[in-house]
Tab-separated table of all heavy atoms in Angstrom:
chain	number	residue	atom	x	y	z
A	262	TYR	N	-15.882	-5.766	3.761
A	262	TYR	CA	-15.349	-6.872	2.969
A	262	TYR	C	-13.831	-7.005	3.070
A	262	TYR	O	-13.249	-7.943	2.516
A	262	TYR	CB	-15.748	-6.710	1.505
A	262	TYR	CG	-17.229	-6.839	1.264
A	262	TYR	CD1	-17.923	-5.860	0.559
A	262	TYR	CD2	-17.950	-7.931	1.750
A	262	TYR	CE1	-19.290	-5.964	0.340
A	262	TYR	CE2	-19.306	-8.050	1.541
A	262	TYR	CZ	-19.981	-7.062	0.831
A	262	TYR	OH	-21.330	-7.179	0.620
A	263	VAL	N	-13.178	-6.091	3.763
A	263	VAL	CA	-11.719	-6.157	3.897
A	263	VAL	C	-11.256	-7.481	4.506
A	263	VAL	O	-10.323	-8.113	3.987
A	263	VAL	CB	-11.176	-4.957	4.698
A	263	VAL	CG1	-9.713	-5.167	5.077
A	263	VAL	CG2	-11.327	-3.668	3.901
A	264	PRO	N	-11.872	-7.959	5.587
A	264	PRO	CA	-11.391	-9.227	6.166
A	264	PRO	C	-11.469	-10.398	5.198
A	264	PRO	O	-10.521	-11.179	5.087
A	264	PRO	CB	-12.320	-9.430	7.372
A	264	PRO	CG	-12.737	-8.046	7.760
A	264	PRO	CD	-12.890	-7.319	6.464
A	265	ALA	N	-12.581	-10.529	4.483
A	265	ALA	CA	-12.740	-11.669	3.575
A	265	ALA	C	-11.720	-11.627	2.443
A	265	ALA	O	-11.080	-12.640	2.122
A	265	ALA	CB	-14.160	-11.680	3.005
A	266	LEU	N	-11.530	-10.453	1.838
A	266	LEU	CA	-10.581	-10.342	0.738
A	266	LEU	C	-9.149	-10.555	1.225
A	266	LEU	O	-8.323	-11.151	0.526
A	266	LEU	CB	-10.711	-8.976	0.055
A	266	LEU	CG	-11.691	-8.910	-1.120
A	266	LEU	CD1	-13.120	-9.229	-0.663
A	266	LEU	CD2	-11.667	-7.529	-1.779
A	267	SER	N	-8.854	-10.088	2.427
A	267	SER	CA	-7.511	-10.251	2.982
A	267	SER	C	-7.209	-11.715	3.290
A	267	SER	O	-6.088	-12.194	3.056
A	267	SER	CB	-7.362	-9.420	4.263
A	267	SER	OG	-7.561	-8.059	4.013
A	268	LYS	N	-8.188	-12.422	3.810
A	268	LYS	CA	-7.998	-13.844	4.085
A	268	LYS	C	-7.688	-14.606	2.803
A	268	LYS	O	-6.818	-15.491	2.774
A	268	LYS	CB	-9.253	-14.430	4.744
A	268	LYS	CG	-9.502	-13.962	6.163
A	268	LYS	CD	-10.842	-14.488	6.663
A	268	LYS	CE	-11.237	-13.832	7.973
A	268	LYS	NZ	-12.592	-14.251	8.409
A	269	ALA	N	-8.396	-14.263	1.746
A	269	ALA	CA	-8.142	-14.921	0.464
A	269	ALA	C	-6.730	-14.625	-0.034
A	269	ALA	O	-6.035	-15.512	-0.539
A	269	ALA	CB	-9.177	-14.467	-0.563
A	270	ALA	N	-6.295	-13.370	0.124
A	270	ALA	CA	-4.967	-12.980	-0.361
A	270	ALA	C	-3.852	-13.690	0.389
A	270	ALA	O	-2.909	-14.210	-0.218
A	270	ALA	CB	-4.799	-11.467	-0.251
A	271	VAL	N	-3.932	-13.723	1.721
A	271	VAL	CA	-2.865	-14.388	2.475
A	271	VAL	C	-2.918	-15.898	2.289
A	271	VAL	O	-1.900	-16.586	2.439
A	271	VAL	CB	-2.894	-14.021	3.983
A	271	VAL	CG1	-2.626	-12.542	4.187
A	271	VAL	CG2	-4.194	-14.431	4.639
A	272	SER	N	-4.081	-16.417	1.929
A	272	SER	CA	-4.176	-17.845	1.640
A	272	SER	C	-3.484	-18.189	0.331
A	272	SER	O	-2.966	-19.296	0.165
A	272	SER	CB	-5.652	-18.272	1.593
A	272	SER	OG	-6.266	-18.106	2.859
A	273	VAL	N	-3.474	-17.253	-0.612
A	273	VAL	CA	-2.702	-17.432	-1.844
A	273	VAL	C	-1.219	-17.292	-1.552
A	273	VAL	O	-0.390	-18.028	-2.076
A	273	VAL	CB	-3.144	-16.411	-2.912
A	273	VAL	CG1	-2.221	-16.460	-4.134
A	273	VAL	CG2	-4.580	-16.666	-3.334
A	274	GLY	N	-0.883	-16.324	-0.669
A	274	GLY	CA	0.500	-16.064	-0.299
A	274	GLY	C	1.000	-14.756	-0.860
A	274	GLY	O	1.196	-14.642	-2.079
A	275	VAL	N	1.183	-13.765	0.001
A	275	VAL	CA	1.689	-12.458	-0.415
A	275	VAL	C	2.791	-12.007	0.537
A	275	VAL	O	2.901	-12.495	1.668
A	275	VAL	CB	0.565	-11.390	-0.443
A	275	VAL	CG1	-0.425	-11.674	-1.553
A	275	VAL	CG2	-0.145	-11.285	0.908
A	276	ALA	N	3.590	-11.055	0.068
A	276	ALA	CA	4.694	-10.540	0.875
A	276	ALA	C	4.219	-9.505	1.886
A	276	ALA	O	4.829	-9.339	2.946
A	276	ALA	CB	5.755	-9.924	-0.025
A	277	ALA	N	3.156	-8.790	1.537
A	277	ALA	CA	2.678	-7.719	2.420
A	277	ALA	C	1.214	-7.441	2.159
A	277	ALA	O	0.687	-7.720	1.073
A	277	ALA	CB	3.499	-6.446	2.215
A	278	LEU	N	0.576	-6.875	3.159
A	278	LEU	CA	-0.772	-6.347	3.030
A	278	LEU	C	-0.706	-4.837	3.141
A	278	LEU	O	0.015	-4.294	3.986
A	278	LEU	CB	-1.679	-6.893	4.141
A	278	LEU	CG	-2.025	-8.373	4.065
A	278	LEU	CD1	-2.729	-8.798	5.345
A	278	LEU	CD2	-2.901	-8.672	2.854
A	279	PHE	N	-1.431	-4.165	2.267
A	279	PHE	CA	-1.549	-2.714	2.290
A	279	PHE	C	-2.931	-2.392	2.844
A	279	PHE	O	-3.939	-2.853	2.313
A	279	PHE	CB	-1.388	-2.170	0.872
A	279	PHE	CG	-1.508	-0.673	0.749
A	279	PHE	CD1	-0.374	0.113	0.559
A	279	PHE	CD2	-2.747	-0.050	0.792
A	279	PHE	CE1	-0.481	1.486	0.418
A	279	PHE	CE2	-2.868	1.322	0.658
A	279	PHE	CZ	-1.737	2.104	0.478
A	280	MET	N	-2.962	-1.617	3.929
A	280	MET	CA	-4.245	-1.234	4.523
A	280	MET	C	-4.220	0.224	4.920
A	280	MET	O	-3.291	0.670	5.600
A	280	MET	CB	-4.540	-2.064	5.785
A	280	MET	CG	-4.803	-3.522	5.563
A	280	MET	SD	-5.210	-4.330	7.139
A	280	MET	CE	-5.454	-6.022	6.575
A	281	GLU	N	-5.231	0.952	4.506
A	281	GLU	CA	-5.415	2.300	5.037
A	281	GLU	C	-6.234	2.180	6.313
A	281	GLU	O	-7.254	1.472	6.348
A	281	GLU	CB	-6.073	3.191	3.997
A	281	GLU	CG	-5.101	3.459	2.847
A	281	GLU	CD	-5.588	4.472	1.848
A	281	GLU	OE1	-6.817	4.625	1.681
A	281	GLU	OE2	-4.731	5.120	1.209
A	282	ILE	N	-5.760	2.848	7.352
A	282	ILE	CA	-6.270	2.649	8.714
A	282	ILE	C	-6.548	4.000	9.337
A	282	ILE	O	-5.778	4.953	9.153
A	282	ILE	CB	-5.222	1.881	9.556
A	282	ILE	CG1	-4.882	0.533	8.907
A	282	ILE	CG2	-5.697	1.690	10.995
A	282	ILE	CD1	-3.518	-0.014	9.295
A	283	HIS	N	-7.639	4.093	10.087
A	283	HIS	CA	-7.998	5.377	10.698
A	283	HIS	C	-8.750	5.125	12.003
A	283	HIS	O	-9.493	4.146	12.119
A	283	HIS	CB	-8.878	6.180	9.733
A	283	HIS	CG	-8.897	7.650	10.007
A	283	HIS	ND1	-9.679	8.208	10.995
A	283	HIS	CD2	-8.245	8.684	9.407
A	283	HIS	CE1	-9.505	9.529	10.995
A	283	HIS	NE2	-8.629	9.838	10.044
A	284	HIS	N	-8.544	6.009	12.974
A	284	HIS	CA	-9.241	5.865	14.254
A	284	HIS	C	-10.706	6.273	14.161
A	284	HIS	O	-11.516	5.899	15.011
A	284	HIS	CB	-8.547	6.716	15.336
A	284	HIS	CG	-8.458	8.164	14.996
A	284	HIS	ND1	-7.530	8.657	14.102
A	284	HIS	CD2	-9.198	9.224	15.400
A	284	HIS	CE1	-7.696	9.966	13.987
A	284	HIS	NE2	-8.694	10.332	14.748
A	285	ASP	N	-11.075	7.028	13.120
A	285	ASP	CA	-12.455	7.484	12.936
A	285	ASP	C	-12.757	7.555	11.432
A	285	ASP	O	-12.908	8.633	10.869
A	285	ASP	CB	-12.644	8.855	13.589
A	285	ASP	CG	-14.087	9.336	13.557
A	285	ASP	OD1	-14.984	8.528	13.236
A	285	ASP	OD2	-14.317	10.529	13.845
A	286	PRO	N	-12.856	6.401	10.763
A	286	PRO	CA	-12.987	6.395	9.311
A	286	PRO	C	-14.172	7.195	8.779
A	286	PRO	O	-14.084	7.790	7.700
A	286	PRO	CB	-13.138	4.909	8.971
A	286	PRO	CG	-12.524	4.182	10.107
A	286	PRO	CD	-12.797	5.029	11.310
A	287	ASP	N	-15.264	7.204	9.525
A	287	ASP	CA	-16.460	7.893	9.031
A	287	ASP	C	-16.248	9.396	8.921
A	287	ASP	O	-17.006	10.078	8.213
A	287	ASP	CB	-17.658	7.607	9.940
A	287	ASP	CG	-18.130	6.167	9.824
A	287	ASP	OD1	-17.878	5.541	8.768
A	287	ASP	OD2	-18.741	5.661	10.776
A	288	ASN	N	-15.247	9.911	9.602
A	288	ASN	CA	-14.955	11.347	9.535
A	288	ASN	C	-13.581	11.632	8.937
A	288	ASN	O	-13.076	12.751	9.040
A	288	ASN	CB	-15.053	11.968	10.930
A	288	ASN	CG	-16.485	12.000	11.441
A	288	ASN	OD1	-17.359	12.610	10.825
A	288	ASN	ND2	-16.740	11.328	12.557
A	289	ALA	N	-12.977	10.616	8.305
A	289	ALA	CA	-11.685	10.805	7.657
A	289	ALA	C	-11.836	11.730	6.453
A	289	ALA	O	-12.911	11.826	5.850
A	289	ALA	CB	-11.106	9.459	7.225
A	290	LEU	N	-10.749	12.387	6.091
A	290	LEU	CA	-10.799	13.370	5.006
A	290	LEU	C	-10.586	12.760	3.629
A	290	LEU	O	-10.717	13.454	2.612
A	290	LEU	CB	-9.752	14.465	5.259
A	290	LEU	CG	-9.940	15.272	6.547
A	290	LEU	CD1	-8.860	16.339	6.673
A	290	LEU	CD2	-11.325	15.906	6.601
A	291	SER	N	-10.263	11.484	3.571
A	291	SER	CA	-10.090	10.802	2.287
A	291	SER	C	-10.228	9.299	2.491
A	291	SER	O	-9.663	8.737	3.425
A	291	SER	CB	-8.711	11.121	1.693
A	291	SER	OG	-8.498	10.437	0.478
A	292	ASP	N	-10.987	8.655	1.635
A	292	ASP	CA	-11.121	7.187	1.594
A	292	ASP	C	-11.703	6.572	2.864
A	292	ASP	O	-11.482	5.386	3.130
A	292	ASP	CB	-9.771	6.522	1.288
A	292	ASP	CG	-9.531	6.377	-0.211
A	292	ASP	OD1	-10.406	6.785	-0.985
A	292	ASP	OD2	-8.470	5.858	-0.589
A	293	GLY	N	-12.457	7.342	3.623
A	293	GLY	CA	-13.026	6.820	4.851
A	293	GLY	C	-13.834	5.544	4.695
A	293	GLY	O	-13.701	4.612	5.504
A	294	PRO	N	-14.703	5.441	3.675
A	294	PRO	CA	-15.577	4.268	3.561
A	294	PRO	C	-14.855	2.940	3.399
A	294	PRO	O	-15.434	1.891	3.667
A	294	PRO	CB	-16.426	4.581	2.318
A	294	PRO	CG	-16.451	6.067	2.230
A	294	PRO	CD	-15.072	6.489	2.687
A	295	ASN	N	-13.594	2.960	2.940
A	295	ASN	CA	-12.903	1.683	2.769
A	295	ASN	C	-11.753	1.475	3.760
A	295	ASN	O	-11.064	0.463	3.702
A	295	ASN	CB	-12.386	1.504	1.338
A	295	ASN	CG	-11.590	2.658	0.793
A	295	ASN	OD1	-12.138	3.519	0.114
A	295	ASN	ND2	-10.301	2.702	1.074
A	296	MET	N	-11.557	2.395	4.703
A	296	MET	CA	-10.450	2.238	5.652
A	296	MET	C	-10.813	1.313	6.817
A	296	MET	O	-11.967	1.222	7.232
A	296	MET	CB	-10.013	3.605	6.186
A	296	MET	CG	-9.177	4.374	5.182
A	296	MET	SD	-8.100	5.612	5.947
A	296	MET	CE	-9.234	6.980	6.092
A	297	VAL	N	-9.797	0.643	7.334
A	297	VAL	CA	-9.959	-0.252	8.479
A	297	VAL	C	-9.994	0.583	9.758
A	297	VAL	O	-9.084	1.382	9.995
A	297	VAL	CB	-8.799	-1.261	8.559
A	297	VAL	CG1	-8.886	-2.090	9.838
A	297	VAL	CG2	-8.789	-2.168	7.325
A	298	PRO	N	-11.018	0.420	10.598
A	298	PRO	CA	-11.040	1.124	11.887
A	298	PRO	C	-9.883	0.641	12.768
A	298	PRO	O	-9.635	-0.562	12.879
A	298	PRO	CB	-12.389	0.735	12.485
A	298	PRO	CG	-13.230	0.328	11.309
A	298	PRO	CD	-12.273	-0.321	10.354
A	299	LEU	N	-9.195	1.570	13.390
A	299	LEU	CA	-8.041	1.230	14.221
A	299	LEU	C	-8.399	0.220	15.299
A	299	LEU	O	-7.611	-0.685	15.592
A	299	LEU	CB	-7.475	2.509	14.853
A	299	LEU	CG	-6.271	2.348	15.781
A	299	LEU	CD1	-5.067	1.792	15.027
A	299	LEU	CD2	-5.922	3.693	16.425
A	300	ASN	N	-9.586	0.344	15.881
A	300	ASN	CA	-9.951	-0.543	16.989
A	300	ASN	C	-10.257	-1.977	16.531
A	300	ASN	O	-10.478	-2.853	17.357
A	300	ASN	CB	-11.130	0.024	17.783
A	300	ASN	CG	-12.400	0.182	16.956
A	300	ASN	OD1	-12.469	-0.260	15.809
A	300	ASN	ND2	-13.402	0.812	17.531
A	301	GLN	N	-10.270	-2.218	15.222
A	301	GLN	CA	-10.479	-3.571	14.706
A	301	GLN	C	-9.201	-4.182	14.126
A	301	GLN	O	-9.186	-5.350	13.737
A	301	GLN	CB	-11.562	-3.545	13.623
A	301	GLN	CG	-12.924	-3.113	14.108
A	301	GLN	CD	-13.953	-3.008	12.985
A	301	GLN	OE1	-13.766	-3.580	11.905
A	301	GLN	NE2	-15.038	-2.298	13.229
A	302	LEU	N	-8.137	-3.384	14.086
A	302	LEU	CA	-6.932	-3.803	13.374
A	302	LEU	C	-6.245	-5.004	14.010
A	302	LEU	O	-5.878	-5.961	13.317
A	302	LEU	CB	-5.949	-2.632	13.281
A	302	LEU	CG	-4.637	-2.937	12.555
A	302	LEU	CD1	-4.896	-3.262	11.088
A	302	LEU	CD2	-3.676	-1.755	12.673
Side-chain angles (χ1 to χ4, degrees):
Y262 294 128
V263 169
L266 269 62
S267 300
K268 290 174 191 175
V271 296
S272 296
V273 172
V275 291
L278 291 171
F279 179 105
M280 292 183 180
E281 291 187 333
I282 302 156
H283 201 280
H284 57 283
D285 186 12
D287 290 336
N288 291 300
L290 299 181
S291 178
D292 272 0
N295 50 265
M296 283 204 275
V297 174
L299 179 63
N300 62 8
Q301 297 176 19
L302 180 64

